[in-house]
Amino acid sequence: MTIQKKVTRNFISLLVAMLFAAAMAGCGGQAAFSQDSTQVTTKTVGPGETWVVTKTTHLDKLIVGEGAVLKAPDGSSLTLTVDGVETGQKLVTTKGVDTRIVAGTYQGDVVLTVTQTNTIPYQGLNFPLRQALYLDKTGIVASKSVLAAVGGPIGTGPDFDGIRIQSTGEDFNGIYVAGGQYTVKNAEISLIGNGRCDLIGYGAAIVANGENTRLVLDGVNIHNKGVVRTAVIADGGSRVIVKNSNLSTRDGVLPEDYVPSADLAQMRGGFPVGGSLGNCRATNLLGTNTQATYINSSISSEGWGVLSSDGCTTPKLTAINCNVAVDGNIGGYGTYAIGDATETFLGCVFNTAYDVSTLKGGTLTYGDSAPQAVKKLNTDLDLRLTDEELAAIPNKSSVINSDRFGVMCTGAGKVDISGGTVFNTGETLFLDKGAAVAFKVDGSQGAELNARNGVIMQLMDNDDPGPGGNPYTEPTEAPKKDANWDLTSSDNAATAVFSNIKLVGNFYNAIGWGKSGSSGGP
């Protein structure tokens, strides 16, 4: 292991760092720049050698040999940036959660930043999150922030305008907010390389977590590529409002030894039985009473899902005048509702590969972005849109396009379609897999249901095993009518009310036959 030191230090850089540290020490009581900084020229860590980096270190060149280990002291994390871009980090093992700087030569403005680990326990594992910017109710927590990875003006908040974050390593987060009220404007975030878990946000661009967290993203562009390299995650009762933004995620390459799994600690992709192939959801909504609202924005994924909810209880997901797209050819859903979710889509355009929405538990509403409806959501969700912002939202009808299904139901809930909403599907429009769902369609303002295969509704047994479930198997004998089903009762049943609408297509009921068991009602 060798170090070549410079003869003179860069006093201007050190002075700027000291002045900024002093300013940050007075921000919210966070004397977070107490970590020392050492400037050296070249550092070589030979093959098999270990270097414990005890404080943030600046280099012109870092040479890491095969099998070398660079690490921070216990309770801390180490992050490498080169010219302001996080890089070099990879998972040590596919099933594990720790990362390590890989062998190679890193040259330029090389910074090894030592930070306090943001440890998130989940499913028996402790995920060691690292992030460019960590915020809580006191402001920037520099002891948990890799500020060398933040470009543009940082400031002290609560408004951040024009920051830039880039990553080409694995499992690095952009912004993590754990309390307080913040607005991020005109940010550019690009994370290229795999993440690890989108059920806590390990590797996501934006994570908001906690009941006392409110985060507004306005004019933000996020372009990620990698396994579970999610754009936006709202968790733990937080409130996230995304306006005038562009969120795009693309799939990565799964590790060679990764085995597709419904184990939540390992899950990094959709499943063929659900039609949601792919390995990167664009967004995720988690936790209890969490809210995520998207306004005048474009959100897309290559596969799996776009606006997802998962591992949650009574969340609220809302999109107003948004473009929601699965733009790959491998399948995927536009939205997912679980945990008695309330999901509302007004004036949105959907283009999806598998289904528009998967309903596993909750209420789905599709309608127009009429001023009264938007104003009500502004009050009910505490969006705090100004009068000027409300007036600038045009009244649009939702247009729903799906290569295959419209709404696929595997759990109880409600589906409400009104206004001038138009559903265009390649296959069955309402696919109910043994779920007690109440469908309501009001065509008085022009709503349309168009299924190219000629099937408006199909009721069938549930063939989705779910996490830990048993695979569906086809009966080997001819189906027999189940005498226990009461076709005159709406208890535990799928029901539908269509009013003021012209319907062209068929309705099929395969429930109450064969191996329906307790799948649902008629």
Side-chain angles (χ1 to χ4, degrees):
M1 180 188 308
T2 61
I3 300 177
Q4 297 175 339
K5 293 189 177 180
K6 280 187 175 178
V7 176
T8 61
R9 293 173 182 251
N10 187 334
F11 286 103
I12 295 177
S13 297
L14 289 175
L15 179 60
V16 170
M18 290 170 63
L19 290 173
F20 189 62
M24 287 304 305
C27 175
Q30 294 291 337
F33 272 93
S34 59
Q35 61 219 67
D36 294 328
S37 178
T38 300
Q39 178 94 21
V40 298
T41 299
T42 300
K43 171 90 173 179
T44 299
V45 186
E49 293 184 341
T50 297
W51 179 26
V52 179
V53 184
T54 58
K55 55 187 176 182
T56 295
T57 302
H58 295 255
L59 304 165
D60 292 326
K61 181 186 287 187
L62 171 66
I63 301 171
V64 180
E66 291 292 340
V69 176
L70 283 68
K71 63 180 183 179
D74 292 344
S76 299
S77 293
L78 183 65
T79 299
L80 169 65
T81 57
V82 179
D83 297 330
V85 178
E86 187 276 340
T87 192
Q89 215 94 329
K90 289 195 70 174
L91 273 178
V92 178
T93 63
T94 297
K95 290 188 175 182
V97 297
D98 294 321
T99 58
R100 183 174 295 171
I101 296 172
V102 299
T105 298
Y106 304 93
Q107 189 165 0
D109 180 13
V110 178
V111 183
L112 289 162
T113 302
V114 177
T115 54
Q116 181 183 347
T117 302
N118 176 21
T119 303
I120 307 296
Y122 182 70
Q123 295 290 312
L125 298 173
N126 290 316
F127 289 82
L129 272 63
R130 303 169 296 122
Q131 53 280 315
L133 198 59
Y134 186 101
L135 308 171
D136 68 9
K137 63 182 180 180
T138 67
I140 296 174
V141 182
S143 62
K144 292 184 178 181
S145 300
V146 183
L147 293 174
V150 183
I154 299 177
T156 58
D159 294 340
F160 298 90
D161 195 340
I163 64 176
R164 302 184 307 276
I165 300 171
Q166 289 181 272
S167 168
T168 60
E170 292 188 347
D171 304 315
F172 187 68
N173 288 71
I175 302 174
Y176 196 99
V177 187
Q181 301 188 27
Y182 295 96
T183 298
V184 177
K185 298 180 179 179
N186 306 313
E188 299 284 340
I189 302 177
S190 174
L191 310 182
I192 309 299
N194 289 348
R196 173 62 177 80
C197 180
D198 70 353
L199 293 164
I200 60 164
Y202 191 21
I206 304 286
V207 179
N209 197 351
E211 295 179 0
N212 297 316
T213 300
R214 175 186 172 86
L215 176 63
V216 178
L217 305 177
D218 191 353
V220 172
N221 291 315
I222 300 175
H223 300 286
N224 291 356
K225 180 178 175 59
V227 177
V228 292
R229 210 71 192 261
T230 317
V232 174
I233 286 183
D235 195 0
S238 62
R239 304 290 186 268
V240 175
I241 298 105
V242 180
K243 305 184 291 186
N244 313 309
S245 296
N246 190 326
L247 315 178
S248 172
T249 62
R250 293 296 175 267
D251 285 348
V253 178
L254 289 161
E256 291 183 0
D257 59 345
Y258 174 74
V259 177
S261 174
D263 177 359
L264 299 181
Q266 300 296 334
M267 186 174 69
R268 277 168 263 188
F271 301 94
V273 71
S276 53
L277 292 173
N279 55 49
C280 187
R281 292 183 275 200
T283 70
N284 217 350
L285 181 60
L286 311 164
T288 301
N289 298 328
T290 309
Q291 292 182 188
T293 304
Y294 299 85
I295 306 166
N296 297 335
S297 295
S298 176
I299 312 105
S300 66
S301 71
E302 187 175 357
W304 196 354
V306 186
L307 298 175
S308 179
S309 62
D310 207 341
C312 54
T313 303
T314 58
K316 292 182 179 179
L317 173 62
T318 305
I320 302 169
N321 285 16
C322 289
N323 291 320
V324 179
V326 176
D327 49 19
N329 60 3
I330 54 177
Y333 55 77
T335 75
Y336 200 99
I338 194 172
D340 198 20
T342 299
E343 302 192 356
T344 305
F345 310 104
L346 304 182
C348 292
V349 176
F350 282 79
N351 288 285
T352 62
Y354 187 79
D355 61 348
V356 174
S357 296
T358 298
L359 177 59
K360 204 172 183 69
T363 298
L364 299 172
T365 300
Y366 308 87
D368 298 346
S369 54
Q372 276 191 321
V374 175
K375 187 176 181 179
K376 185 175 187 305
L377 286 174
N378 189 43
T379 300
D380 293 348
L381 300 176
D382 189 26
L383 301 179
R384 305 179 195 176
L385 298 175
T386 65
D387 290 341
E388 291 77 13
E389 286 180 305
L390 289 171
I393 296 176
N395 184 354
K396 294 182 178 180
S397 296
S398 292
V399 179
I400 314 295
N401 302 308
S402 174
D403 291 345
R404 296 197 67 186
F405 308 113
V407 180
M408 183 175 69
C409 310
T410 60
K414 298 178 181 179
V415 176
D416 191 309
I417 299 171
S418 63
T421 301
V422 177
F423 266 76
N424 300 307
T425 63
E427 299 182 34
T428 302
L429 209 148
F430 300 129
L431 181 61
D432 187 320
K433 297 186 176 184
V437 178
F439 298 90
K440 179 183 177 183
V441 182
D442 180 1
S444 60
Q445 297 180 58
E448 297 179 13
L449 302 178
N450 304 311
R452 288 199 301 272
N453 72 338
V455 181
I456 301 295
M457 180 176 289
Q458 167 75 64
L459 276 70
M460 59 177 281
D461 288 332
N462 188 2
D463 60 356
D464 182 2
N470 296 315
Y472 175 85
T473 57
E474 284 290 336
T476 57
E477 300 178 356
K480 298 178 182 179
K481 186 174 181 179
D482 188 338
N484 294 324
W485 292 123
D486 182 358
L487 293 174
T488 65
S489 173
S490 61
D491 293 338
N492 192 34
T495 63
V497 176
F498 301 88
S499 60
N500 303 300
I501 189 171
K502 180 180 180 180
L503 298 176
V504 178
N506 298 307
F507 291 73
Y508 295 109
N509 180 11
I511 293 295
W513 295 82
K515 47 182 298 187
S516 59
S518 59
S519 296

